[in-house]
Amino acid sequence: MKRTLTALVALFTLLSAGCSPEESDLGMNLMDPSTIYNGKTDTLYANAAYSIHDDSILTTGGTYNIVGWYSDPTFGKVSASIYTQIALQSDDQAVSLAGAVIDSAVLCLVKDAVFPNSDQARSLHFEIMPLAEDIEADSTYYGFHTLAVREGMKYFDETLTITPTDTLIRFRLGGDIASVLAQQASAADFLASVKGLRIRVIENDSDTGIVSFNFSATKTRLTAYYHYEGDTIEAQYTFVVGSGAKRFMHFEHDYTGSTVNGADSIDGSQRLYLEPYGGYNIQISFDSMLRAFHSAHPMAEIHYAELLLPLAAEAPAIHPDSLIAYSVGSDGKLTQVADQRYFQGGDGGYQNRGNYYRLRLSLHLQHLMYANGGRDYGTRLMLYFSRRTPGARTILNGYSTANPVKIALTYTEK
């Protein structure tokens, strides 16, 4: 193991002489950061940290899509809506329902979870409207994007009670959905004609709640039940709104009167805020202490390093499952830290016993030591989408508190 780690140091020394400060894959397979080593220990404390408002979250595609709203005093109000195409099963297929009598059209969405409490029934006023614009196949959509709907036309406008035992939510569509579906067209012509749907919840007539739907489930679909004049046999035709149809989510934040107040950047000396859906991320820098450590231990071999993020006393009781970390380059470019690219297994998760998050950063710190000369341009922390608790947000202790964010490391010296 000693020869392996020495080789890793040599590789990083070469890297620092001829590469940019972005994290490299070179030599990453030489270290097993899950191994516990005997060595010296040290603790690095952050010299700067900020909560950063970032609404540029990519929402195109995605297995789990959310709709609903939630509000709390710290982060204010957030609402989510879904935009999805109605498509045929394949691009080379054609629909032949011209002349058919559409008896009913049912949109089925597979429920995955409800925030803040999946064990509680919630009454939500759903509104489903047809789109007036195409969801472009070659476009990328973010949380701030919207598309126009056909005003005055609603396919669904009712309150549904979603219970803990519900797994499939059915929306019986009305309006002129029958005439829209009863046509003969190629896949491309049908998509251009129908365009798609906007699904949202009317906030002032609903309980608070964010529902996550699984759009990759086979039962997530739109089914038309139809017959022809003079024929008593009812048939059905299945349209795609899940896999095979493009979709994205839109998020609306209202920070009026909230603690964060919608500021672009919030000093993290006392508190750090993490909010999903184009809300708040965190950026932390250990530059001062890391450069001092590198100066004092220029040949140190980092065997294990973990970023510890204690929760603030007032953090919500429902915690996001885990965090993801990105290294910030000198040019501001974000690169997922090597530890999370190479070594999976729950890293970045919430630790219930200690009430903190832990992220392994052994490879990342090794890189900063030998490729960056100890310089740390920052680590950006974001929330993973949480299937169990979609919408969960949290508050962490800042870098100047009694129990601050820190990096605990184990190392040896030649």
Side-chain angles (χ1 to χ4, degrees), residues 53-59 142-144 278:
H53 185 225
D54 180 13
D55 66 353
S56 59
I57 178 173
L58 181 69
T59 66
Y142 292 83
F144 54 80

mmCIF file of all heavy atoms in Angstrom, residues 53-59 142-144 278:
data_model
loop_
_atom_site.group_PDB
_atom_site.id
_atom_site.type_symbol
_atom_site.label_atom_id
_atom_site.label_comp_id
_atom_site.label_asym_id
_atom_site.label_seq_id
_atom_site.Cartn_x
_atom_site.Cartn_y
_atom_site.Cartn_z
ATOM 1 N N HIS A 53 -27.647 31.849 -4.542
ATOM 2 C CA HIS A 53 -28.911 31.608 -5.233
ATOM 3 C C HIS A 53 -28.615 31.217 -6.680
ATOM 4 O O HIS A 53 -27.888 31.913 -7.386
ATOM 5 C CB HIS A 53 -29.786 32.868 -5.200
ATOM 6 C CG HIS A 53 -31.148 32.659 -5.778
ATOM 7 N ND1 HIS A 53 -31.748 33.539 -6.646
ATOM 8 C CD2 HIS A 53 -32.038 31.639 -5.618
ATOM 9 C CE1 HIS A 53 -32.942 33.088 -6.990
ATOM 10 N NE2 HIS A 53 -33.124 31.932 -6.375
ATOM 11 N N ASP A 54 -29.174 30.098 -7.115
ATOM 12 C CA ASP A 54 -28.878 29.576 -8.453
ATOM 13 C C ASP A 54 -30.148 28.989 -9.052
ATOM 14 O O ASP A 54 -30.618 27.933 -8.630
ATOM 15 C CB ASP A 54 -27.794 28.502 -8.366
ATOM 16 C CG ASP A 54 -27.446 27.913 -9.721
ATOM 17 O OD1 ASP A 54 -27.853 28.487 -10.745
ATOM 18 O OD2 ASP A 54 -26.768 26.871 -9.750
ATOM 19 N N ASP A 55 -30.716 29.695 -10.032
ATOM 20 C CA ASP A 55 -31.951 29.206 -10.659
ATOM 21 C C ASP A 55 -31.681 28.490 -11.973
ATOM 22 O O ASP A 55 -32.608 28.216 -12.734
ATOM 23 C CB ASP A 55 -32.933 30.364 -10.892
ATOM 24 C CG ASP A 55 -32.427 31.373 -11.918
ATOM 25 O OD1 ASP A 55 -31.251 31.253 -12.346
ATOM 26 O OD2 ASP A 55 -33.201 32.284 -12.273
ATOM 27 N N SER A 56 -30.423 28.160 -12.245
ATOM 28 C CA SER A 56 -30.083 27.557 -13.536
ATOM 29 C C SER A 56 -30.050 26.037 -13.470
ATOM 30 O O SER A 56 -29.197 25.395 -14.071
ATOM 31 C CB SER A 56 -28.730 28.084 -14.028
ATOM 32 O OG SER A 56 -27.701 27.794 -13.092
ATOM 33 N N ILE A 57 -30.985 25.458 -12.746
ATOM 34 C CA ILE A 57 -31.035 24.005 -12.633
ATOM 35 C C ILE A 57 -31.659 23.406 -13.894
ATOM 36 O O ILE A 57 -32.726 23.828 -14.353
ATOM 37 C CB ILE A 57 -31.813 23.573 -11.379
ATOM 38 C CG1 ILE A 57 -31.892 22.037 -11.289
ATOM 39 C CG2 ILE A 57 -33.207 24.170 -11.344
ATOM 40 C CD1 ILE A 57 -32.488 21.535 -9.998
ATOM 41 N N LEU A 58 -30.972 22.439 -14.464
ATOM 42 C CA LEU A 58 -31.454 21.743 -15.666
ATOM 43 C C LEU A 58 -32.582 20.806 -15.287
ATOM 44 O O LEU A 58 -32.425 19.971 -14.396
ATOM 45 C CB LEU A 58 -30.304 20.971 -16.312
ATOM 46 C CG LEU A 58 -30.608 20.195 -17.585
ATOM 47 C CD1 LEU A 58 -30.889 21.157 -18.735
ATOM 48 C CD2 LEU A 58 -29.435 19.283 -17.946
ATOM 49 N N THR A 59 -33.736 20.929 -15.941
ATOM 50 C CA THR A 59 -34.889 20.085 -15.586
ATOM 51 C C THR A 59 -35.409 19.269 -16.765
ATOM 52 O O THR A 59 -36.439 18.621 -16.653
ATOM 53 C CB THR A 59 -36.043 20.944 -15.033
ATOM 54 O OG1 THR A 59 -36.546 21.801 -16.059
ATOM 55 C CG2 THR A 59 -35.574 21.788 -13.854
ATOM 56 N N TYR A 142 -34.556 24.734 -18.420
ATOM 57 C CA TYR A 142 -34.148 24.909 -17.029
ATOM 58 C C TYR A 142 -35.368 25.244 -16.181
ATOM 59 O O TYR A 142 -36.462 25.468 -16.694
ATOM 60 C CB TYR A 142 -33.095 26.006 -16.915
ATOM 61 C CG TYR A 142 -31.774 25.636 -17.534
ATOM 62 C CD1 TYR A 142 -31.556 25.793 -18.905
ATOM 63 C CD2 TYR A 142 -30.741 25.113 -16.764
ATOM 64 C CE1 TYR A 142 -30.344 25.441 -19.485
ATOM 65 C CE2 TYR A 142 -29.526 24.752 -17.331
ATOM 66 C CZ TYR A 142 -29.333 24.924 -18.689
ATOM 67 O OH TYR A 142 -28.132 24.564 -19.255
ATOM 68 N N GLY A 143 -35.138 25.314 -14.866
ATOM 69 C CA GLY A 143 -36.240 25.543 -13.951
ATOM 70 C C GLY A 143 -36.953 26.866 -14.134
ATOM 71 O O GLY A 143 -38.102 27.019 -13.720
ATOM 72 N N PHE A 144 -36.297 27.842 -14.757
ATOM 73 C CA PHE A 144 -36.926 29.147 -14.959
ATOM 74 C C PHE A 144 -37.731 29.226 -16.249
ATOM 75 O O PHE A 144 -38.402 30.222 -16.504
ATOM 76 C CB PHE A 144 -35.872 30.265 -14.939
ATOM 77 C CG PHE A 144 -34.738 30.070 -15.913
ATOM 78 C CD1 PHE A 144 -34.890 30.372 -17.252
ATOM 79 C CD2 PHE A 144 -33.515 29.585 -15.476
ATOM 80 C CE1 PHE A 144 -33.848 30.191 -18.152
ATOM 81 C CE2 PHE A 144 -32.457 29.399 -16.365
ATOM 82 C CZ PHE A 144 -32.637 29.710 -17.712
ATOM 83 N N GLY A 278 -33.585 25.039 -7.975
ATOM 84 C CA GLY A 278 -33.172 26.379 -8.345
ATOM 85 C C GLY A 278 -33.225 27.330 -7.184
ATOM 86 O O GLY A 278 -33.540 28.507 -7.348
#
